[in-house]
Amino acid sequence: MTDAMSAAHPGDRVSAGAAGSEADLPPVSVILPVLDEERHLADAVHLVLAQDYAGPFEVVLALGPSHDRTDAVAGRLQATDPRVRTVPNPTGRTPDALNAAIAASTGEIIVRVDGHAEIPGDYVSTAVRELIRVGADNVGGMMDARGTDDFERAVACAMRSRIGVGSSAFHTGGQAGEAETVYLGVFRREALERVGGYDPHFARAQDWEMNHRIRQSGGTVWFMPELKVTYRPRSTFRGLAKQYFHYGRWRHVVARHHEGTINLRYLAPPTMVLGTATALLVGARWRPAWLVPAAYAAAVTAGGLAIAKGESMRTRALAPLVLATMHWAWGAGFLTSPRDLAKS
């Protein structure tokens, strides 16, 4: 994290008494890393500006080098509402954008939102109230994936299911309580300063990695299932495969950097990829080995049809292929993650 970020606007620290009245509500800064978000940015920012939070409030957009009209959209938003400001993010990398926005912000509470996310009108007020109530350093909720066409709906079904993304509460739900990580996050500024903000090394998985450091420093990351944020999934197989390949690749980097943070849930996709690929090769000489990929295909087909129950026929037909894409891309990314991506 930059020196400017660590020194910016220290203010008073948030305490339980800060929620005593509307006049005492802590100032909030909503930060958005933005890159190629022409399609969703205006809607995302309008939902942020429509929050029912009664305290001081600002929005900081960190603009990367977009290839569409994102900057023009951001300029119009800034011109029409004085609460919106922009800062440059020349690298286009997410951790750099987040740190730049934090450094430029003024709030005691930092709320991370993405340019393709849609938050409910009471998101900020509910999260700040819970942050103060439980004394947490970060409060977050669920990534509520929702698609707008058959393919996106199939991806959304997979992203809300255990067979698609494992048992992470921020995907599948659960009880309120302490968690390894949460979606997005509503942070105390002092917590971000304590751990040095987002580590710019991690192009992906930077949320999990920073939440790990918050917990290592004695802080609390708190999951609140009522905080549901609508997430718009990738709209093509290529985009989905690229997304999950990089998820797997960078999760392996985190595991190398923070020993002991990997578990069976993370090892399942690479194990499946190795086992199925090996069985396919062995099956050329010993046909019974083909039972392994056949069993996987049968399981993923049954699972895909089950998680897409009630959807259109095309969505249900796509769901098994979506699941397989996510599994194989994540597993392949994990297995091929270069050792030189790990921090020294």
Side-chain angles (χ1 to χ4, degrees), residues 192-343:
L192 297 177
E193 293 175 353
R194 184 176 72 242
V195 301
Y198 291 88
D199 189 327
H201 175 76
F202 292 93
R204 303 288 177 97
Q206 65 275 154
D207 293 319
W208 196 102
E209 194 277 335
M210 188 176 71
N211 282 319
H212 176 73
R213 286 185 285 116
I214 287 175
R215 291 185 292 106
Q216 289 279 17
S217 73
T220 298
V221 177
W222 189 262
F223 172 70
M224 188 180 187
E226 293 83 1
L227 292 176
K228 287 189 176 182
V229 180
T230 300
Y231 171 85
R232 298 302 179 189
R234 297 297 191 271
S235 57
T236 64
F237 277 112
R238 181 178 181 180
L240 181 67
K242 181 179 179 181
Q243 177 186 24
Y244 274 80
F245 179 83
H246 286 293
Y247 280 172
R249 169 167 284 192
W250 282 95
R251 189 60 188 82
H252 202 168
V253 176
V254 172
R256 288 179 180 133
H257 184 58
H258 296 292
E259 293 184 6
T261 61
I262 205 69
N263 57 37
L264 292 177
R265 173 164 64 91
Y266 296 115
L267 294 176
T271 300
M272 180 278 298
V273 168
L274 282 176
T276 305
T278 300
L280 283 169
L281 293 174
V282 172
R285 291 183 174 273
W286 188 59
R287 290 188 177 181
W290 284 344
L291 289 174
V292 174
Y296 173 76
V300 83
T301 298
L305 293 174
I307 64 174
K309 186 178 180 180
E311 296 286 350
S312 70
M313 289 299 295
R314 186 167 187 271
T315 295
R316 297 195 74 192
L318 287 167
L321 299 175
V322 163
L323 282 175
T325 299
M326 292 164 62
H327 294 165
W328 278 82
W330 203 101
F334 188 93
L335 290 169
T336 61
S337 181
R339 282 200 165 273
D340 60 11
L341 281 182
K343 293 181 68 176

Side-chain angles (χ1 to χ4, degrees), residues 24 59 80 126 186 231 255 301:
D24 294 329
V59 182
T80 55
T126 299
V186 176
Y231 171 85
T301 298

Side-chain angles (χ1 to χ4, degrees), residues 1-10 29-33 58-62 85 87-88 94-113 185 187-199 207 210 213:
M1 184 178 68
T2 64
D3 292 339
M5 175 181 160
S6 62
H9 317 293
S29 298
V30 181
I31 62 171
L32 289 86
E58 68 175 355
V59 182
V60 183
L61 310 178
R85 293 188 291 117
V87 294
T94 299
D96 295 334
L98 293 167
N99 286 337
I102 293 167
S105 67
T106 62
E108 295 175 47
I109 304 293
I110 307 297
V111 179
R112 178 185 173 177
V113 176
F187 303 86
R188 296 174 187 263
R189 176 183 291 276
E190 61 186 1
L192 297 177
E193 293 175 353
R194 184 176 72 242
V195 301
Y198 291 88
D199 189 327
D207 293 319
M210 188 176 71
R213 286 185 285 116

